[in-house]
Amino acid sequence: MPIELAKEASFIESFRETIATFFYQVGGLFKSFNIINALDILFVAIVIYMVIRIIRDTRAMQLIKGLLFLVLLYGVVDALEMSASRFIMKGIFSNILIIIVILFGPEIRNILEEMGKGAARSNLMAVLDSGAAVEVTEMKKTVEAVCKACANMSDTKTGALIVFERETMLGDIISSGTLVQATATRELVENIFFPKSPLHDGAMIIRGGKIYAAGCILPLTSNTNISSSYGTRHRAAIGVTQQSDALVVVVSEETGTISVAFSGKIQSGISTGELRDILSNEFVIDPSTSKDTAIKRFVRRMKR
């Protein structure tokens, strides 16, 4: 019994010393932490974010998964002390930089181009906002496509309901429709709302400059003071803007009139030029003059 107690006491003492050593090392780490370390971590985080953003929609993501599998395999081989396999894996990883350059040549070129664009603006905000120029370009094309499509649908009296998502995410509404995730073009917008299209009765959701979903069901407004001249599309447009900060464009199927709804209110009789001005003022923002902070833009891009 005394021997068992001694072993237990020795184990407890060893465990206590291990914990004390761990907290001592952690404390030493925080004591030595300075502004340079913080900037170092921030820089690495920005670079990783930019790389992921550029390659996430390319085949490079599959290649990265393959490399991660090799890393895991190398860990297993090394742990099991498999000499022949470890020799081969060491040969691969000793030339990993050359392999990466060969495999990711186009992606590396794109990354350097993006970094060059940020350096041209010569400030840290440009690096944080490396995707702003892309967002503005995409949104300009989307606004132009929607305006042209609405002009044509107004002439042909084709009903349409287009929701521009802003800060409030519309995940519940999107789940009620069909994911599209396509670049906005006039032809695609008109095809979705073509009377015989299976998605023409629902709403189209624009997220991040792209057509994200279509055929979505919107909540109708409960406001009883709305004019009886407004149909279901207009009431749905008002309803979703009462519950979110979205902006909705409506084309009437009966009259061809273009309307814009926001903040629970609707404005009818909008011309194509006025629609273009409204959408441009709301969504096509110059990053150099915008009050939109880098953090807000970062969060918005992460949501995408």
Side-chain angles (χ1 to χ4, degrees), residues 67-94:
L67 288 177
L68 291 177
F69 175 75
L70 285 179
V71 172
L72 179 62
L73 183 62
Y74 179 64
V76 173
V77 167
D78 188 57
L80 297 177
E81 298 183 354
M82 302 167 64
S83 301
S85 300
R86 184 162 54 184
F87 176 78
I88 295 174
M89 299 300 291
K90 280 186 176 180
I92 294 175
F93 283 97
S94 62

Side-chain angles (χ1 to χ4, degrees), residues 138 141-142 145 180-186 188-189 209-212:
E138 288 181 354
K141 292 180 179 179
T142 299
V180 178
Q181 294 180 309
T183 300
T185 63
R186 176 187 60 80
L188 180 56
V189 174
K210 294 183 180 295
I211 299 176
Y212 195 81

Side-chain angles (χ1 to χ4, degrees), residues 191-216:
N191 283 338
I192 287 176
F193 290 111
F194 184 72
K196 294 184 179 181
S197 166
L199 301 177
H200 80 282
D201 273 336
M204 174 189 293
I205 308 296
I206 304 289
R207 170 186 283 183
K210 294 183 180 295
I211 299 176
Y212 195 81
C216 300

Side-chain angles (χ1 to χ4, degrees), residues 92-117:
I92 294 175
F93 283 97
S94 62
N95 299 293
I96 192 65
L97 289 179
I98 298 175
I99 294 174
I100 288 176
V101 170
I102 294 173
L103 292 178
F104 300 103
E107 286 75 18
I108 291 174
R109 184 170 61 251
N110 290 337
I111 291 170
L112 292 176
E113 288 176 356
E114 290 294 327
M115 293 177 67
K117 292 176 184 178

